[in-house]
Amino acid sequence: MSALSLPILGVPVRSSLSLSSPTILFPPFSVRAKNLSSRFFICQASNGTNPTSETVFAVPTISVDNSEEDESTSFVIRARNRIGLLQVITRVFKVLGLRIDKATVEFEGDYFTKTFFVSDSHGNKIENLESIDRIKKALMDAIGGDDLTISTGPATRGIVVKKPGLLSSSLDRTAKAERMFELMDGFLKNDPVSLQKDILDHVEYTVARSRFSFDDFEAYQALSHCIRDRLIERWHDTQIHFKRKDPKRVYFLSLEYLMGRSLSNSIINLGIRDQCADALSQLGFEFEVLAEQEGDAALGNGGLARLSACQMDSLATMDFPAWGYGLRYQYGLFRQVILDGFQHEQPDYWLNFGNPWEIERVHVTYPVKFYGTVEEDISNGEKYKVWIPGEMVEAVAYDNPIPGYGTRNTITLRLWAAKPSNQHDMEAYNTGDYIDAVVTRQRAETISSILYPDDRSHQGKELRLKQQYFFVSASLQDIIRRFKDGHKDLNQFPDKVALQLNDTHPALAIPEVMRILVDEERLGWNEAFDITCKIFSFTTHTVLAEALEKIPVDLLESLLPRHLQIIYDINSYFMEELKRRIGLDYNRLSRMSIVEEGAVKSIRMANLSIFCSHTVNGVSRLHSELLQTRVFKDFYEMWPEKFQCKTNGVTQRRWIVVSNPSLCALISKWLGTESWIRDIDLLMGLREYAADISLHQEWQMVRKINKMRLAEYIEATSGLKVSLDAMFDVQIKRIHEYKRQLLNIIGIIHRYDCIKNMAKDDRKKVVPRICIIGGKAAPGYEMAKKIIKLCHAVAEKINNDSDIGDLLKLVFIPDYNVSVAEMIIPGADLSQHISTAGHEASGTGCMKFLMNGCLLLATADGSTVEIIEEIGEDNMFLFGAKVHEVATLREKGSTIVKVPLQFARVVRMVRDGYFGFQDYFQSLCDTVEGSDDYYLLGADFESYLEAQAAADKAFVDQKKWTQMSILSTAGSGRFSSDRTIQDYAEQTWGIEPCRCPL
């Protein structure tokens, strides 16, 4: 007998296993070289072609043996072979809830003997005789006679008819299996020569360019597909492993993912950066140049979106069984173009040149319904609701593999794109109404076209609501389908599924789950609601109650009529529950109600999310305290056990290893290990070397290299040459009044004014500064746009003043995004996080700077409070009012706050037109004077200047500054998204790691 491989269900594993198709899984049999593991099963084939009469089984036979394996029962099936029979047999075992631990096959001519080693759902032997007889009968019924027609599923792409004589002998089948084994039984190799061959193959066959003539961008495309091939291998193995182990999974629902670039992150997580660099170098290309060819996947804006991306990286690295769901926006966050200092928005055509990292799943589509009416029907004597939609679109899946670091686990980020319903297309074409068909297609595709549609109009609000429902409907259909592949009882749903709501954008998932369970699965209302409340957990990123999301009832009634009915039912149940617990306290009942009465009747999505989730969390300790004492005080008093704190984190793989490779190598050298990349608490080991002069010298060299890189970028984008000896003072984040970029600019003007009025000898004592500001203003946010214009006007004055020279420069970085942040953060000396206390939920930006050894100048807001605990006040520059002081300062205003004369002088300079555009800046000046200074720029200005002076003093003492920088990095471990995810897994989701074998 010669050993060969038998593919799963009769076809090659790697080509047949989609991530969504139900499949019986067997443990792999290891036959590859070192570090390779086979995905095929053992099969034995006869070398002869003339079976004896003893091996011809005219009638199928099934025998059972309980003696061979300790924990398995063997079922030996002897029958004539035919196409699809293995699939039928394995399907029978699956339907009966049995697990196949191992399988062997012996071919003898046209016949076979198949042995399946089977255990029950608990992994035990099947010893009950009645159960064995029932299994044998089911197998015999399924195998049947030779003329039995086998259906393996609907044909969707045509019918294949095999020609007579094909694969007619066992030798043909043996040769095919042996050849398949030879071709597919090894993973792609990662040595430079193999990588070169794969890159060149993709140049010619994927990019369709001559391998003798291709440019940097085409080389990037080929390299990306080469890397994607390796991700897909791990991806398939991970999904197979998850399916076999059947763990509880978490599904992360977020409308935004600010992923940035994928090439460098994927290569580093695969552990093949050096090999790729060598391979490209020999082909005449530089890895760094090719990496710059990739555009940013800007599918989000700000901290919430970047948090989602970091958490996906940590979920993969920590081996948790997880899926991410979102929308595949055709246009990302707008491109920011600065003309004459004014922001202009242009579409971000990020998909113009394709996205090599995504895989379109044309077979994974789900219908999503809108509008229509709700009717009542009766079945089996019970009434139930039927939603008759007025419009239907299709959701098509686009999968993005997310690799973990130091593991084979590669998980899925599935993004949905909207397409028109094929049914409507056919109806339109059949009636000759081609124009209507085109218009319908455009209307459907608009749903997933734009990130953040302008919701100041009714049409914009409707589109935003459509996006939210489209996203959750498609995701939930996919999640429930995956659950049903392996389970029948929906009461097991909470044992296998955890749904995480990333803010209130996906909150429509709650009534959608209720609709599916009640209307489609016909569960009772109480049973359905019990399941719903067990599967949802809710993260809120909101600080102010007035910023919480509300949906007008008339809009919801028009677009999703059945969901409004369900929300009313939930609210009715909620109100009755409240009345039993607190009595007729109508003010409190009104505050907590999901339905808000008023001039515009609305649905409070946060209240819905809190009531129907088993866990609610803030994203920093300070934020969680604000939720409990202010924003959701009534809910916290009612259900304190629901509320948790999960301080946000960022991934060190992206923000040190990818963006700052020199620092990464230095840390690994001094710690003596690279294990900190997965176990970031090891960074604390740097503390014992914080005063070491040798480390200081190397640390300063790394920082100088990064500053040189940033200086080159500044010159390339602005034409401004900057001194490397100056302090690089950075504030990069979206432009908003509460983030107080205006306070920074006013401080810069004050610094300029002081230098301008100094004697020349005094100027020699000034610490030179390069002030760097970057960020985008929302298209409709006029005040934020004026801040950007003021920044440019001030920069124009300062940068061209010969009296100032290199003592002070101001630079605005246009079109700030993740890739730009990866350039700026490693080169920053000082980073400003100066929001008014109590307005920043977390603030992950400060964590990225902290990891890179940048010193922080900050208010005690968001996660900064916890950073203070980790590295100490002595290693940062703190200023400003505390959270508990803000309300008093606003209430009493100028009666207790004496605005510094320096502040008033600077505002007067702007108001009087010193920087030009006098009329344009009047309204901006109005917002910071007297009682209108809502964000307390004047009140905090004096302590702000004191903090800046302390930073100057520390920067002069480079030994002290470097030690503070090292201690900042050493204390950043607590702010890794790995720690955040571990907390979620243990305290919220109840999931465990499911590591794919190497």
PDB file of all heavy atoms in Angstrom, residues 216-242:
ATOM      1  N   ASP A 216       7.959  51.234  -9.754  1.00  0.00           N
ATOM      2  CA  ASP A 216       7.822  51.058  -8.305  1.00  0.00           C
ATOM      3  C   ASP A 216       6.414  50.666  -7.902  1.00  0.00           C
ATOM      4  O   ASP A 216       6.214  49.789  -7.053  1.00  0.00           O
ATOM      5  CB  ASP A 216       8.228  52.352  -7.580  1.00  0.00           C
ATOM      6  CG  ASP A 216       9.725  52.593  -7.604  1.00  0.00           C
ATOM      7  OD1 ASP A 216      10.475  51.622  -7.825  1.00  0.00           O
ATOM      8  OD2 ASP A 216      10.144  53.750  -7.405  1.00  0.00           O
ATOM      9  N   PHE A 217       5.417  51.319  -8.489  1.00  0.00           N
ATOM     10  CA  PHE A 217       4.040  51.019  -8.093  1.00  0.00           C
ATOM     11  C   PHE A 217       3.649  49.603  -8.495  1.00  0.00           C
ATOM     12  O   PHE A 217       2.993  48.891  -7.730  1.00  0.00           O
ATOM     13  CB  PHE A 217       3.065  52.018  -8.720  1.00  0.00           C
ATOM     14  CG  PHE A 217       1.633  51.775  -8.347  1.00  0.00           C
ATOM     15  CD1 PHE A 217       1.185  52.016  -7.046  1.00  0.00           C
ATOM     16  CD2 PHE A 217       0.731  51.267  -9.260  1.00  0.00           C
ATOM     17  CE1 PHE A 217      -0.126  51.775  -6.678  1.00  0.00           C
ATOM     18  CE2 PHE A 217      -0.593  51.015  -8.915  1.00  0.00           C
ATOM     19  CZ  PHE A 217      -1.019  51.282  -7.612  1.00  0.00           C
ATOM     20  N   GLU A 218       4.063  49.183  -9.670  1.00  0.00           N
ATOM     21  CA  GLU A 218       3.758  47.817 -10.108  1.00  0.00           C
ATOM     22  C   GLU A 218       4.515  46.796  -9.252  1.00  0.00           C
ATOM     23  O   GLU A 218       3.980  45.721  -8.946  1.00  0.00           O
ATOM     24  CB  GLU A 218       4.103  47.676 -11.587  1.00  0.00           C
ATOM     25  CG  GLU A 218       3.142  48.448 -12.483  1.00  0.00           C
ATOM     26  CD  GLU A 218       3.748  48.871 -13.813  1.00  0.00           C
ATOM     27  OE1 GLU A 218       4.959  48.655 -14.018  1.00  0.00           O
ATOM     28  OE2 GLU A 218       3.003  49.421 -14.632  1.00  0.00           O
ATOM     29  N   ALA A 219       5.730  47.161  -8.856  1.00  0.00           N
ATOM     30  CA  ALA A 219       6.467  46.280  -7.935  1.00  0.00           C
ATOM     31  C   ALA A 219       5.752  46.197  -6.594  1.00  0.00           C
ATOM     32  O   ALA A 219       5.691  45.120  -5.970  1.00  0.00           O
ATOM     33  CB  ALA A 219       7.894  46.799  -7.744  1.00  0.00           C
ATOM     34  N   TYR A 220       5.209  47.331  -6.110  1.00  0.00           N
ATOM     35  CA  TYR A 220       4.434  47.310  -4.861  1.00  0.00           C
ATOM     36  C   TYR A 220       3.226  46.387  -4.989  1.00  0.00           C
ATOM     37  O   TYR A 220       2.938  45.585  -4.081  1.00  0.00           O
ATOM     38  CB  TYR A 220       3.966  48.720  -4.498  1.00  0.00           C
ATOM     39  CG  TYR A 220       2.705  48.719  -3.668  1.00  0.00           C
ATOM     40  CD1 TYR A 220       2.725  48.316  -2.336  1.00  0.00           C
ATOM     41  CD2 TYR A 220       1.470  49.056  -4.233  1.00  0.00           C
ATOM     42  CE1 TYR A 220       1.565  48.257  -1.594  1.00  0.00           C
ATOM     43  CE2 TYR A 220       0.306  49.001  -3.499  1.00  0.00           C
ATOM     44  CZ  TYR A 220       0.349  48.600  -2.172  1.00  0.00           C
ATOM     45  OH  TYR A 220      -0.807  48.533  -1.451  1.00  0.00           O
ATOM     46  N   GLN A 221       2.506  46.495  -6.116  1.00  0.00           N
ATOM     47  CA  GLN A 221       1.327  45.639  -6.307  1.00  0.00           C
ATOM     48  C   GLN A 221       1.709  44.162  -6.296  1.00  0.00           C
ATOM     49  O   GLN A 221       1.035  43.338  -5.660  1.00  0.00           O
ATOM     50  CB  GLN A 221       0.634  45.997  -7.627  1.00  0.00           C
ATOM     51  CG  GLN A 221      -0.061  47.352  -7.617  1.00  0.00           C
ATOM     52  CD  GLN A 221      -0.740  47.636  -8.944  1.00  0.00           C
ATOM     53  OE1 GLN A 221      -0.104  47.616  -9.998  1.00  0.00           O
ATOM     54  NE2 GLN A 221      -2.028  47.889  -8.900  1.00  0.00           N
ATOM     55  N   ALA A 222       2.783  43.832  -6.993  1.00  0.00           N
ATOM     56  CA  ALA A 222       3.221  42.439  -7.037  1.00  0.00           C
ATOM     57  C   ALA A 222       3.655  41.951  -5.658  1.00  0.00           C
ATOM     58  O   ALA A 222       3.309  40.838  -5.236  1.00  0.00           O
ATOM     59  CB  ALA A 222       4.367  42.289  -8.033  1.00  0.00           C
ATOM     60  N   LEU A 223       4.414  42.786  -4.950  1.00  0.00           N
ATOM     61  CA  LEU A 223       4.842  42.410  -3.599  1.00  0.00           C
ATOM     62  C   LEU A 223       3.639  42.218  -2.683  1.00  0.00           C
ATOM     63  O   LEU A 223       3.593  41.267  -1.885  1.00  0.00           O
ATOM     64  CB  LEU A 223       5.770  43.489  -3.040  1.00  0.00           C
ATOM     65  CG  LEU A 223       6.218  43.312  -1.579  1.00  0.00           C
ATOM     66  CD1 LEU A 223       7.011  42.023  -1.409  1.00  0.00           C
ATOM     67  CD2 LEU A 223       7.033  44.512  -1.114  1.00  0.00           C
ATOM     68  N   SER A 224       2.649  43.089  -2.782  1.00  0.00           N
ATOM     69  CA  SER A 224       1.465  42.984  -1.934  1.00  0.00           C
ATOM     70  C   SER A 224       0.718  41.683  -2.182  1.00  0.00           C
ATOM     71  O   SER A 224       0.287  41.003  -1.239  1.00  0.00           O
ATOM     72  CB  SER A 224       0.536  44.185  -2.181  1.00  0.00           C
ATOM     73  OG  SER A 224       1.172  45.387  -1.831  1.00  0.00           O
ATOM     74  N   HIS A 225       0.570  41.298  -3.446  1.00  0.00           N
ATOM     75  CA  HIS A 225      -0.103  40.028  -3.749  1.00  0.00           C
ATOM     76  C   HIS A 225       0.729  38.840  -3.281  1.00  0.00           C
ATOM     77  O   HIS A 225       0.184  37.828  -2.824  1.00  0.00           O
ATOM     78  CB  HIS A 225      -0.383  39.933  -5.247  1.00  0.00           C
ATOM     79  CG  HIS A 225      -1.571  40.712  -5.691  1.00  0.00           C
ATOM     80  ND1 HIS A 225      -1.490  41.988  -6.193  1.00  0.00           N
ATOM     81  CD2 HIS A 225      -2.895  40.408  -5.693  1.00  0.00           C
ATOM     82  CE1 HIS A 225      -2.696  42.439  -6.494  1.00  0.00           C
ATOM     83  NE2 HIS A 225      -3.570  41.508  -6.190  1.00  0.00           N
ATOM     84  N   CYS A 226       2.035  38.985  -3.364  1.00  0.00           N
ATOM     85  CA  CYS A 226       2.923  37.936  -2.863  1.00  0.00           C
ATOM     86  C   CYS A 226       2.735  37.742  -1.359  1.00  0.00           C
ATOM     87  O   CYS A 226       2.646  36.608  -0.866  1.00  0.00           O
ATOM     88  CB  CYS A 226       4.362  38.320  -3.200  1.00  0.00           C
ATOM     89  SG  CYS A 226       5.628  37.320  -2.425  1.00  0.00           S
ATOM     90  N   ILE A 227       2.662  38.840  -0.635  1.00  0.00           N
ATOM     91  CA  ILE A 227       2.448  38.759   0.816  1.00  0.00           C
ATOM     92  C   ILE A 227       1.036  38.275   1.122  1.00  0.00           C
ATOM     93  O   ILE A 227       0.822  37.475   2.041  1.00  0.00           O
ATOM     94  CB  ILE A 227       2.701  40.134   1.467  1.00  0.00           C
ATOM     95  CG1 ILE A 227       4.153  40.595   1.215  1.00  0.00           C
ATOM     96  CG2 ILE A 227       2.417  40.087   2.959  1.00  0.00           C
ATOM     97  CD1 ILE A 227       5.206  39.611   1.659  1.00  0.00           C
ATOM     98  N   ARG A 228       0.074  38.740   0.343  1.00  0.00           N
ATOM     99  CA  ARG A 228      -1.310  38.304   0.571  1.00  0.00           C
ATOM    100  C   ARG A 228      -1.444  36.797   0.412  1.00  0.00           C
ATOM    101  O   ARG A 228      -2.198  36.146   1.147  1.00  0.00           O
ATOM    102  CB  ARG A 228      -2.261  39.024  -0.394  1.00  0.00           C
ATOM    103  CG  ARG A 228      -3.722  38.870   0.008  1.00  0.00           C
ATOM    104  CD  ARG A 228      -4.669  39.433  -1.034  1.00  0.00           C
ATOM    105  NE  ARG A 228      -4.792  38.567  -2.194  1.00  0.00           N
ATOM    106  CZ  ARG A 228      -5.742  38.705  -3.122  1.00  0.00           C
ATOM    107  NH1 ARG A 228      -6.606  39.693  -3.034  1.00  0.00           N
ATOM    108  NH2 ARG A 228      -5.798  37.884  -4.148  1.00  0.00           N
ATOM    109  N   ASP A 229      -0.723  36.218  -0.539  1.00  0.00           N
ATOM    110  CA  ASP A 229      -0.760  34.762  -0.708  1.00  0.00           C
ATOM    111  C   ASP A 229      -0.390  34.060   0.590  1.00  0.00           C
ATOM    112  O   ASP A 229      -1.011  33.067   0.988  1.00  0.00           O
ATOM    113  CB  ASP A 229       0.201  34.331  -1.810  1.00  0.00           C
ATOM    114  CG  ASP A 229      -0.243  34.773  -3.197  1.00  0.00           C
ATOM    115  OD1 ASP A 229      -1.424  35.155  -3.347  1.00  0.00           O
ATOM    116  OD2 ASP A 229       0.596  34.758  -4.116  1.00  0.00           O
ATOM    117  N   ARG A 230       0.609  34.575   1.263  1.00  0.00           N
ATOM    118  CA  ARG A 230       1.072  33.956   2.503  1.00  0.00           C
ATOM    119  C   ARG A 230       0.079  34.188   3.640  1.00  0.00           C
ATOM    120  O   ARG A 230      -0.092  33.323   4.497  1.00  0.00           O
ATOM    121  CB  ARG A 230       2.457  34.513   2.853  1.00  0.00           C
ATOM    122  CG  ARG A 230       3.540  33.927   1.956  1.00  0.00           C
ATOM    123  CD  ARG A 230       4.741  34.813   1.737  1.00  0.00           C
ATOM    124  NE  ARG A 230       5.765  34.100   0.954  1.00  0.00           N
ATOM    125  CZ  ARG A 230       5.718  33.973  -0.369  1.00  0.00           C
ATOM    126  NH1 ARG A 230       4.740  34.530  -1.066  1.00  0.00           N
ATOM    127  NH2 ARG A 230       6.660  33.283  -1.005  1.00  0.00           N
ATOM    128  N   LEU A 231      -0.571  35.343   3.610  1.00  0.00           N
ATOM    129  CA  LEU A 231      -1.625  35.592   4.605  1.00  0.00           C
ATOM    130  C   LEU A 231      -2.785  34.629   4.406  1.00  0.00           C
ATOM    131  O   LEU A 231      -3.371  34.140   5.379  1.00  0.00           O
ATOM    132  CB  LEU A 231      -2.114  37.033   4.495  1.00  0.00           C
ATOM    133  CG  LEU A 231      -1.151  38.154   4.878  1.00  0.00           C
ATOM    134  CD1 LEU A 231      -1.834  39.506   4.737  1.00  0.00           C
ATOM    135  CD2 LEU A 231      -0.632  37.972   6.292  1.00  0.00           C
ATOM    136  N   ILE A 232      -3.137  34.389   3.151  1.00  0.00           N
ATOM    137  CA  ILE A 232      -4.291  33.530   2.874  1.00  0.00           C
ATOM    138  C   ILE A 232      -4.046  32.114   3.371  1.00  0.00           C
ATOM    139  O   ILE A 232      -4.963  31.456   3.896  1.00  0.00           O
ATOM    140  CB  ILE A 232      -4.615  33.554   1.362  1.00  0.00           C
ATOM    141  CG1 ILE A 232      -5.226  34.915   0.990  1.00  0.00           C
ATOM    142  CG2 ILE A 232      -5.566  32.433   0.985  1.00  0.00           C
ATOM    143  CD1 ILE A 232      -5.448  35.118  -0.487  1.00  0.00           C
ATOM    144  N   GLU A 233      -2.816  31.614   3.243  1.00  0.00           N
ATOM    145  CA  GLU A 233      -2.515  30.286   3.790  1.00  0.00           C
ATOM    146  C   GLU A 233      -2.826  30.233   5.286  1.00  0.00           C
ATOM    147  O   GLU A 233      -3.506  29.317   5.769  1.00  0.00           O
ATOM    148  CB  GLU A 233      -1.039  29.956   3.573  1.00  0.00           C
ATOM    149  CG  GLU A 233      -0.646  29.662   2.150  1.00  0.00           C
ATOM    150  CD  GLU A 233       0.812  29.266   2.018  1.00  0.00           C
ATOM    151  OE1 GLU A 233       1.627  29.690   2.864  1.00  0.00           O
ATOM    152  OE2 GLU A 233       1.131  28.528   1.083  1.00  0.00           O
ATOM    153  N   ARG A 234      -2.319  31.200   6.013  1.00  0.00           N
ATOM    154  CA  ARG A 234      -2.547  31.244   7.462  1.00  0.00           C
ATOM    155  C   ARG A 234      -4.012  31.493   7.766  1.00  0.00           C
ATOM    156  O   ARG A 234      -4.553  30.977   8.751  1.00  0.00           O
ATOM    157  CB  ARG A 234      -1.689  32.347   8.080  1.00  0.00           C
ATOM    158  CG  ARG A 234      -0.192  32.110   7.967  1.00  0.00           C
ATOM    159  CD  ARG A 234       0.604  33.329   8.385  1.00  0.00           C
ATOM    160  NE  ARG A 234       2.048  33.052   8.342  1.00  0.00           N
ATOM    161  CZ  ARG A 234       2.864  33.193   9.373  1.00  0.00           C
ATOM    162  NH1 ARG A 234       2.409  33.622  10.520  1.00  0.00           N
ATOM    163  NH2 ARG A 234       4.143  32.925   9.256  1.00  0.00           N
ATOM    164  N   TRP A 235      -4.620  32.315   6.959  1.00  0.00           N
ATOM    165  CA  TRP A 235      -6.033  32.683   7.129  1.00  0.00           C
ATOM    166  C   TRP A 235      -6.916  31.444   7.047  1.00  0.00           C
ATOM    167  O   TRP A 235      -7.764  31.205   7.921  1.00  0.00           O
ATOM    168  CB  TRP A 235      -6.353  33.672   6.025  1.00  0.00           C
ATOM    169  CG  TRP A 235      -7.619  34.440   6.141  1.00  0.00           C
ATOM    170  CD1 TRP A 235      -8.384  34.663   7.239  1.00  0.00           C
ATOM    171  CD2 TRP A 235      -8.254  35.131   5.072  1.00  0.00           C
ATOM    172  NE1 TRP A 235      -9.459  35.445   6.926  1.00  0.00           N
ATOM    173  CE2 TRP A 235      -9.400  35.752   5.599  1.00  0.00           C
ATOM    174  CE3 TRP A 235      -7.971  35.298   3.726  1.00  0.00           C
ATOM    175  CZ2 TRP A 235     -10.269  36.517   4.810  1.00  0.00           C
ATOM    176  CZ3 TRP A 235      -8.811  36.061   2.948  1.00  0.00           C
ATOM    177  CH2 TRP A 235      -9.962  36.662   3.488  1.00  0.00           C
ATOM    178  N   HIS A 236      -6.716  30.641   5.985  1.00  0.00           N
ATOM    179  CA  HIS A 236      -7.514  29.425   5.842  1.00  0.00           C
ATOM    180  C   HIS A 236      -7.281  28.474   7.003  1.00  0.00           C
ATOM    181  O   HIS A 236      -8.222  27.889   7.555  1.00  0.00           O
ATOM    182  CB  HIS A 236      -7.171  28.736   4.523  1.00  0.00           C
ATOM    183  CG  HIS A 236      -7.802  29.376   3.332  1.00  0.00           C
ATOM    184  ND1 HIS A 236      -7.397  29.134   2.043  1.00  0.00           N
ATOM    185  CD2 HIS A 236      -8.828  30.253   3.230  1.00  0.00           C
ATOM    186  CE1 HIS A 236      -8.136  29.830   1.204  1.00  0.00           C
ATOM    187  NE2 HIS A 236      -9.000  30.533   1.903  1.00  0.00           N
ATOM    188  N   ASP A 237      -6.027  28.301   7.374  1.00  0.00           N
ATOM    189  CA  ASP A 237      -5.725  27.396   8.493  1.00  0.00           C
ATOM    190  C   ASP A 237      -6.408  27.867   9.777  1.00  0.00           C
ATOM    191  O   ASP A 237      -6.907  27.061  10.570  1.00  0.00           O
ATOM    192  CB  ASP A 237      -4.218  27.318   8.716  1.00  0.00           C
ATOM    193  CG  ASP A 237      -3.515  26.488   7.650  1.00  0.00           C
ATOM    194  OD1 ASP A 237      -4.224  25.894   6.826  1.00  0.00           O
ATOM    195  OD2 ASP A 237      -2.271  26.451   7.646  1.00  0.00           O
ATOM    196  N   THR A 238      -6.407  29.190  10.001  1.00  0.00           N
ATOM    197  CA  THR A 238      -7.029  29.736  11.209  1.00  0.00           C
ATOM    198  C   THR A 238      -8.524  29.457  11.223  1.00  0.00           C
ATOM    199  O   THR A 238      -9.082  29.020  12.239  1.00  0.00           O
ATOM    200  CB  THR A 238      -6.782  31.248  11.301  1.00  0.00           C
ATOM    201  OG1 THR A 238      -5.376  31.496  11.297  1.00  0.00           O
ATOM    202  CG2 THR A 238      -7.376  31.820  12.582  1.00  0.00           C
ATOM    203  N   GLN A 239      -9.187  29.690  10.090  1.00  0.00           N
ATOM    204  CA  GLN A 239     -10.632  29.487  10.048  1.00  0.00           C
ATOM    205  C   GLN A 239     -10.996  28.009  10.181  1.00  0.00           C
ATOM    206  O   GLN A 239     -11.988  27.659  10.818  1.00  0.00           O
ATOM    207  CB  GLN A 239     -11.216  30.069   8.751  1.00  0.00           C
ATOM    208  CG  GLN A 239     -11.003  31.564   8.590  1.00  0.00           C
ATOM    209  CD  GLN A 239     -11.483  32.363   9.790  1.00  0.00           C
ATOM    210  OE1 GLN A 239     -12.541  32.082  10.344  1.00  0.00           O
ATOM    211  NE2 GLN A 239     -10.707  33.364  10.198  1.00  0.00           N
ATOM    212  N   ILE A 240     -10.180  27.148   9.593  1.00  0.00           N
ATOM    213  CA  ILE A 240     -10.400  25.706   9.755  1.00  0.00           C
ATOM    214  C   ILE A 240     -10.262  25.317  11.223  1.00  0.00           C
ATOM    215  O   ILE A 240     -11.068  24.552  11.768  1.00  0.00           O
ATOM    216  CB  ILE A 240      -9.405  24.910   8.882  1.00  0.00           C
ATOM    217  CG1 ILE A 240      -9.730  25.102   7.398  1.00  0.00           C
ATOM    218  CG2 ILE A 240      -9.424  23.422   9.241  1.00  0.00           C
ATOM    219  CD1 ILE A 240      -8.670  24.541   6.473  1.00  0.00           C
ATOM    220  N   HIS A 241      -9.235  25.866  11.856  1.00  0.00           N
ATOM    221  CA  HIS A 241      -9.003  25.546  13.276  1.00  0.00           C
ATOM    222  C   HIS A 241     -10.154  26.059  14.132  1.00  0.00           C
ATOM    223  O   HIS A 241     -10.622  25.347  15.034  1.00  0.00           O
ATOM    224  CB  HIS A 241      -7.688  26.174  13.723  1.00  0.00           C
ATOM    225  CG  HIS A 241      -7.283  25.809  15.113  1.00  0.00           C
ATOM    226  ND1 HIS A 241      -6.951  24.527  15.486  1.00  0.00           N
ATOM    227  CD2 HIS A 241      -7.177  26.573  16.244  1.00  0.00           C
ATOM    228  CE1 HIS A 241      -6.650  24.497  16.767  1.00  0.00           C
ATOM    229  NE2 HIS A 241      -6.778  25.725  17.252  1.00  0.00           N
ATOM    230  N   PHE A 242     -10.609  27.272  13.878  1.00  0.00           N
ATOM    231  CA  PHE A 242     -11.750  27.809  14.626  1.00  0.00           C
ATOM    232  C   PHE A 242     -12.978  26.924  14.438  1.00  0.00           C
ATOM    233  O   PHE A 242     -13.712  26.652  15.388  1.00  0.00           O
ATOM    234  CB  PHE A 242     -12.082  29.230  14.163  1.00  0.00           C
ATOM    235  CG  PHE A 242     -11.108  30.281  14.629  1.00  0.00           C
ATOM    236  CD1 PHE A 242     -11.186  31.583  14.154  1.00  0.00           C
ATOM    237  CD2 PHE A 242     -10.111  29.980  15.544  1.00  0.00           C
ATOM    238  CE1 PHE A 242     -10.303  32.562  14.575  1.00  0.00           C
ATOM    239  CE2 PHE A 242      -9.209  30.949  15.975  1.00  0.00           C
ATOM    240  CZ  PHE A 242      -9.305  32.241  15.484  1.00  0.00           C
TER     241      PHE A 242
END
